[in-house]
Amino acid sequence: MASNGIRSRPDVPVEALHVTRRIESFCWRVQQLVGEGGFALVTGAPGAGKSVTLRLLAERLSEQRDVKVGVCSRPQANLADFYREMGDLFGVELRPLQPMGRRQGAARALADPHRCLAGAAGAHRRRGAGDAVHLLSELRLLCSTRLDSHILLTVVLAGDGRLLERLRSDEFLPLASRMRVRLAIERATPDELQEYLRQALHKAGAVKLMTPELIATLCDHAQGNLRALMNMAGELLVYAAEREARQIDEKLFLETCATPPTAGTKVAAGRRR
């Protein structure tokens, strides 16, 4: 969504995003966690709002003093690439040495000021499951010193159900046990989706752009997925702009978004005995 209308865009200003009480609570808890360091976890289905939550959290954390926020965008990389990216994120030189020397040097470089690393970590990796294990294990070992008594980083992981499944496995138990703050984003109800959509219309300065009946219809068709809702709303906006419509209603939705049966599809009708 953007200030000039309903759009399914990733570059929406943070101040225009809708923040639920659960997301607000999660961000607050992570802000407190930063003072001590540790791991946090965001999970949810694709399109549920994980990336939006990370954007909101990164914005909040960047406002704190002595906190530097970095986003790991290539969690599927090998260890050498991982350390190079860490160095770029936090402005320190991390050389790809032998594992022990690399880890000790990185720990010294990251020790001050406190840093927060946010990133997406799913179960699928282009290089295979083994690399995911090594990377997350390396991150776990890097984050703490003095027998886990001194935490160097605050790490926020985000992923779908595959990440949760991995964390339940034996190889990830040491990491899973360190998750101190969790947020599970569930499928949204139609009422919650309507709240999101009305908020978007309000921020866009177009409260009456969509009829109440259309809003209810869109939220029912989205099946609890926020991304699906915004995609449909964005498509409708394009059609409405093309037709110079002053208001978007259910008629336009049926003309543009309702998918008719494909050719060759057989529809059986009958009556019960």
Side-chain angles (χ1 to χ4, degrees):
M1 284 126 4
S3 58
N4 60 344
I6 307 296
R7 295 294 300 275
S8 176
R9 296 181 51 171
D11 57 347
V12 180
V14 173
E15 58 270 17
L17 297 173
H18 179 62
V19 185
T20 65
R21 285 181 294 179
R22 294 187 68 237
I23 293 177
E24 186 73 47
S25 174
F26 173 77
C27 290
W28 186 87
R29 285 180 290 149
V30 174
Q31 286 176 279
Q32 310 313 305
L33 179 65
V34 166
E36 303 175 4
F39 284 86
L41 177 66
V42 182
T43 56
K50 298 184 298 296
S51 298
V52 170
T53 301
L54 289 180
R55 286 187 58 202
L56 288 165
L57 178 59
E59 182 75 11
R60 302 281 180 87
L61 293 173
S62 64
E63 296 172 355
Q64 294 188 215
R65 295 180 57 184
D66 300 325
V67 174
K68 183 173 180 60
V69 180
V71 178
C72 185
S73 58
R74 294 185 295 274
Q76 76 278 2
N78 58 35
L79 286 178
D81 292 336
F82 167 74
Y83 272 93
R84 291 190 186 96
E85 184 171 10
M86 289 282 288
D88 291 340
L89 286 174
F90 296 124
V92 294
E93 185 176 1
L94 302 180
R95 298 178 180 178
L97 306 172
Q98 294 300 317
M100 182 58 69
R102 173 175 55 218
R103 194 178 301 133
Q104 291 175 345
R108 288 193 295 268
L110 295 173
D112 189 49
H114 192 80
R115 292 164 169 88
C116 178
L117 176 65
H124 177 68
R125 291 290 179 271
R126 294 179 183 177
R127 295 180 172 272
D131 287 300
V133 175
H134 293 317
L135 283 175
L136 290 178
S137 297
E138 190 77 9
L139 187 58
R140 172 179 61 83
L141 295 171
L142 172 65
C143 283
S144 62
T145 61
R146 305 173 193 169
L147 300 176
D148 282 350
S149 65
H150 183 57
I151 309 300
L152 302 176
L153 291 173
T154 301
V155 180
V156 184
L157 299 178
D160 56 26
R162 295 171 296 175
L163 175 59
L164 275 178
E165 185 177 342
R166 277 292 178 83
L167 289 174
R168 297 188 187 103
S169 63
D170 292 341
E171 58 193 359
F172 281 107
L173 281 179
L175 178 63
S177 65
R178 286 169 168 78
M179 297 298 164
R180 299 180 57 187
V181 181
R182 294 174 180 257
L183 173 66
I185 304 178
E186 306 291 344
R187 182 184 297 272
T189 66
D191 288 342
E192 289 172 336
L193 290 179
Q194 287 193 39
E195 187 178 348
Y196 275 103
L197 189 50
R198 294 183 191 279
Q199 167 79 2
L201 292 169
H202 173 73
K203 290 293 185 179
V207 178
K208 297 183 179 180
L209 178 63
M210 294 183 176
T211 64
E213 294 78 14
L214 174 63
I215 292 176
T217 299
L218 286 176
C219 294
D220 285 338
H221 278 73
Q223 297 182 345
N225 190 284
L226 183 59
R227 182 183 297 164
L229 171 65
M230 294 306 163
N231 284 340
M232 287 190 294
E235 185 178 6
L236 273 175
L237 180 62
V238 172
Y239 279 111
E242 180 183 4
R243 302 184 184 191
E244 299 183 353
R246 299 182 62 86
Q247 190 176 48
I248 309 175
D249 55 18
E250 285 186 286
K251 180 181 178 181
L252 183 62
F253 170 76
L254 293 174
E255 292 176 357
T256 58
C257 295
T259 305
T262 57
T265 300
K266 296 181 180 181
V267 180
R271 64 179 182 180
R272 294 182 180 178
R273 293 183 178 179

